[in-house]
Amino acid sequence: MLETLSLMGQGFIHALSPMNLLFAAAGTAIGIVIGCLPGLSAAMGVALLLPMTFAMPAETGLIVLGGIYCGAIFGGSIAAILIHTPGTPASAATAIEGYQLTLRGKAGKALFVSCYSSFWGGLLSCISLYFFAPLLAQLAMKFGSPEYFWLSIFGLTIIAGVSSDSMLKGLMSGAFGLLLSTIGMDPIEGAKRFMFGQSALYEGINTTCALIGLFSMSQVLILAEKKIKERAKAAKFTDKLAITREEAKLLTPTILRSWIIGNLIGILPGAGASIACFMGYNTAHQFAKHPEQFGKGSIEGVAGSEAANNAVTGGSLIPMLTLGIPGESVTAVLMGGLIIQGLQPGPELFTRYAPMTYTFFAGFVLVQFLMLGIGLLGCRGFAQISRLSDAILIPSVTVLCVVGSFAIHKNFLDVVIMMIFGIIGYMVRKFGLNAAAIVLALILGPIGEKGLRRSLVLSGGNPAILFSTPLCWVLIGLCVFGVLSPIFMSRMEKKSVEKAGGEDISAETAD
Amino acid sequence: MKKTDIGVVGFMYGVCILFYVLSLDLKPEAQTYPHFIMLVLAILTTMYVVQMIFQAKRNGVTSGLEAFEGFLPKQFFVVLAMIIGYLVLMYLVGFYISTVLLMVACLLFLRVPTWQIIISTLAILGLIYGAFTLFLGVKLPVGLLFK
């Protein structure tokens, strides 16, 4: 206990260093800009800026990525409130009440409520991050090769069902990713597999290039296929960015409820901020002191949605950091960032690398404060950025994708791989397959393969070893849950969206 | 059932066949795991084919081209060609020259006002020079012609 408290304290001391603070602020500001641009998503932003964190110490890099993540989730609400176009799917419910407030000349109040609720949602989610992450990590310490095999299967079953219109297509995407993960050297036999004569593929497909291609380059192609839209002018607001003490009191129970909802959804693999915002909004409506204001511009509605989507951020980091199971696309990308820094998600993050992990946690707390400050001070400016034309985004994001993938190994082949994955990502999105499942399979594939093959070597080829411990059976049970949970999640999301009447508000980007 | 799903199924079977053929060069011990994954992919794809047949019987067949609603082929393929040309050009003349050319050509094609083209190009070049060349110390491609 004392050791943990000391690690927490040290984490804050390190996180408060000028360099970490500066990068955290930059990451948060970039995240808000990405979030408020309706053509870009949080996952895309994190993937795009991942290469810039390579030269940083691991904790600083992770703080920057955390800042982009939180900033983007909040930033989506700016466009949702001012131009009725959610910057990210996580702000779709915010647009319902937020834009009504704007029409009533209360855009300043709506933006303040959004920022204030996002801050509390994110900050409170850090509590569960501090509390649950070390507990789960202790459990993961008991894992051997068979458990790691099942864990990777669990991760795949979860993500395969997320955000694709058919579960079978999701699973096919996962299997396709697993096959791609076999490119490179065989981990046991040392044989070269499917390298197409390219020695640069010796260590397999570079995950970061695949991430940039699947999430960022594919978005460029999506933007390029449609008529460039002239976005609505962001509403100019003259009212104060503030709420009264009574309004703050009114919002407190809503924020607390949304925190619990968002946090649970974040921890549950397979669900993300886009589900949380609608659930938070509906619950706010259900328990509202002024339900008659819903649909006409309710600050409780804005708070319910925004606190819930930001509460997802801390929660979703728990399974990713402790078990290596990212619950959604953004955490899959963040996990890629962690692996690139030479770190493996799991118990080691809380033992050998504990100082780094607790510095990241402290940085994540600080990011919430920075988000509040930057969000409130800069929202007038960010509102103007949200009008930036897709025509400018297309070549700009392309250049960043190219330079980002080149910077990893200073190898032109990586750029080509990124481009190939960009085209695959575009097709995947068009034909209802699942990009997140492919990425996750690329990350988890080698872990699962090593787990399976080491287990079989240990048992002399007897597959019974994969069913030999109670933990294996728990994980098998979780795999079954993983396959079935997306069915419930999609039903839950549909119900929430229908209840909120949000069918007509669609974000321009996928998660 | 969507007609476009036939393409998805064909692609998945094609990938399985390609990897299977390539795997025949591997020694037998190294073949097992990739073959297992190929089998899983082939089984899942076959299950999807069965689902498609049932869906076709129950709900009929749609084109599946709704996903391409509002698709502007000229704009899309010109931009894609510019991006591919950008990669080729970068290999030949280096990063900065090809980036200026891509930014200007693409923004002109997408009818962005001149002042915005100038600002965007300078902003991107400045950002990359600051972040990648100065901060990360990445040596960006200089191009075959200038080596």
Side-chain angles (χ1 to χ4, degrees), chain A residues 197-351:
Chain A
Q198 299 293 329
S199 55
L201 287 173
Y202 191 72
E203 287 180 10
I205 290 173
N206 187 303
T207 322
T208 316
C209 295
L211 285 170
I212 297 172
L214 284 170
F215 290 110
S216 308
M217 198 63 216
S218 66
Q219 184 62 25
V220 168
L221 299 176
I222 294 275
L223 293 178
E225 71 171 19
K226 289 203 171 109
K227 195 175 173 213
I228 305 294
K229 272 192 240 168
E230 192 64 37
R231 288 216 174 85
K233 213 170 180 179
K236 278 195 177 161
F237 53 96
T238 46
D239 66 320
K240 269 190 181 174
L241 275 160
I243 50 170
T244 61
R245 193 173 287 182
E246 287 71 37
E247 284 170 329
K249 251 188 191 173
L250 176 77
L251 295 180
T252 307
T254 306
I255 291 172
L256 287 173
R257 269 192 301 271
S258 287
W259 159 52
I260 295 167
I261 292 167
N263 226 244
L264 285 174
I265 288 181
I267 294 169
L268 270 181
S274 47
I275 298 176
C277 76
F278 277 107
M279 290 194 67
Y281 175 79
N282 284 332
T283 318
H285 192 180
Q286 218 173 333
F287 293 95
K289 285 221 168 123
H290 303 288
E292 71 284 354
Q293 286 180 1
F294 275 73
K296 295 172 198 156
S298 158
I299 55 168
E300 288 172 276
V302 174
S305 154
E306 282 304 305
N309 65 22
N310 272 76
V312 167
T313 55
S316 66
L317 290 175
I318 297 170
M320 188 274 275
L321 291 172
T322 54
L323 303 173
I325 306 287
E328 54 166 352
S329 321
V330 192
T331 36
V333 182
L334 275 172
M335 187 168 143
L338 200 70
I339 290 171
I340 285 153
Q341 289 279 5
L343 302 163
Q344 198 64 47
E348 270 206 332
L349 286 183
F350 296 85
T351 50

Side-chain angles (χ1 to χ4, degrees), chain A residues 458-481:
Chain A
L458 283 172
S459 67
N462 184 358
I465 192 173
L466 299 172
F467 308 91
S468 57
T469 67
L471 263 177
C472 284
W473 283 102
V474 171
L475 288 164
I476 293 167
L478 286 172
C479 290
V480 176
F481 166 77

